[in-house]
Amino acid sequence: MAKFTATFARRILLNMAKLPDVVFVLGAPGAGKGTQSKRIVEDFGYTHLSVGDLLRAERSRDGSAVGRLIDTCIREGQIVPIKITINLIKKAMTDLMELDNNKSSFLIDGFPRNEDNVKGWTTHMEGKANVKFVLFFDCDLEICKKRCLDRSQSSGRVDDNEESLNKRIQTYLKSTKPIIDQYEKEGKVRRVDASGSVGEIFEKLKTFF
Ligand code: UDP
Ligand code: MG
């Protein structure tokens, strides 16, 4: 009886546990998603999940069955199939929450990037996480491009070159911007003008947290 009660109580507690909060961070390549996410982590206690980083890690993982596919998508500026991406996000969130119960606010950076991504999120995560809003870094595309080319010296990224970058920008305009516009219509977007300096942009976005 005691054992039953303890198990039962734990189950109730688990069910009552607050859902993790999520903020999606979107914007063109080079808009500052990663840079500002790190500052938000420092000041507001969020956990940063860069989906690009999750995919790059999976690409380099020994024995990955999807490493080559991910590599091609990244070089070509295409969006990786949602089945792969959502599993990586889910696993990262679960692992982090298991390690530390207090981790309950996530910045998901660079996702969702197209309609399939949105659908995949809904299918797998609705009722499991609470999307608070979409933080949109609205940045002039020429500035974005210049930032990526400038960082290409140090980033070591296979896609920070002119050719990949043009493809990434096309994918952004064709697939991701419409998603942001849709979220905007739903009143979920917090937009920040992201053409300025790192400090200036952070001062502006602070008010959303
Ligand atoms: N990517 C993807 N799905 C995602 C996030 C990233 O397919 O949800 C791929 C895509 O090919 C993208 C690349 O990973 O061009 C790099 O993404 P990241 O967010 O790191 O780049 P950024 O947009 O910040 O330049
Ligand atoms: Mg990034």
Side-chain angles (χ1 to χ4, degrees):
M1 179 65 188
K3 184 162 179 272
F4 170 78
T5 313
T7 312
F8 189 64
R10 203 159 55 107
R11 231 180 245 155
I12 288 178
L13 278 174
L14 273 176
N15 283 335
M16 279 174 25
K18 195 175 160 293
L19 293 183
D21 282 331
V22 165
V23 171
F24 290 143
V25 183
L26 293 177
K33 305 182 292 290
T35 307
Q36 296 294 340
S37 291
K38 292 198 181 89
R39 304 227 18 197
I40 297 166
V41 167
E42 283 165 19
D43 279 33
F44 301 104
Y46 273 74
T47 299
H48 179 209
L49 278 188
S50 158
V51 178
D53 286 351
L54 293 178
L55 289 166
R56 285 183 280 273
E58 177 62 21
R59 172 181 65 179
S60 338
R61 191 174 64 80
D62 271 347
S64 170
V66 291
R68 286 189 54 178
L69 173 61
I70 293 174
D71 189 57
T72 308
C73 288
I74 288 180
R75 283 175 199 274
E76 294 299 318
Q78 287 168 6
I79 297 163
V80 172
I82 180 61
K83 195 169 175 293
I84 297 173
T85 310
I86 197 72
N87 284 330
L88 292 172
I89 295 174
K90 227 167 143 178
K91 183 171 187 312
M93 286 178 71
T94 314
D95 288 355
L96 286 162
M97 286 192 293
E98 262 173 31
L99 271 174
D100 179 351
N101 280 328
N102 295 320
K103 284 210 188 303
S104 62
S105 303
F106 293 89
L107 285 177
I108 302 194
D109 157 8
F111 177 93
R113 280 176 125 88
N114 65 6
E115 214 169 313
D116 259 5
N117 281 188
V118 174
K119 283 188 194 140
W121 173 269
T122 306
T123 307
H124 288 83
M125 299 303 287
E126 201 154 76
K128 298 194 177 106
N130 168 33
V131 179
K132 284 174 59 179
F133 58 90
V134 175
L135 181 61
F136 169 39
F137 289 103
D138 194 3
C139 189
D140 176 81
L141 292 177
E142 281 307 313
I143 295 180
C144 286
K145 210 170 148 179
K146 184 171 181 307
R147 286 180 185 163
C148 289
L149 291 176
D150 286 349
R151 82 174 174 199
S152 67
Q153 314 289 331
S154 56
S155 73
R157 278 175 54 161
V158 298
D159 58 348
D160 279 345
N161 58 72
E162 182 107 31
E163 199 190 329
S164 292
L165 204 48
N166 287 335
K167 292 177 182 168
R168 285 157 69 196
I169 289 173
Q170 287 315 310
T171 302
Y172 168 74
L173 290 173
K174 187 169 149 270
S175 304
T176 312
K177 191 61 180 35
I179 296 305
I180 300 170
D181 294 343
Q182 183 55 38
Y183 281 131
E184 176 89 60
K185 280 189 198 138
E186 294 167 16
K188 291 182 184 154
V189 171
R190 307 285 179 273
R191 178 190 161 281
V192 61
D193 177 353
S195 303
S197 72
V198 174
E200 280 165 5
I201 299 165
F202 188 66
E203 283 308 310
K204 289 183 198 159
L205 68 80
K206 258 174 151 176
T207 55
F208 300 138
F209 288 88

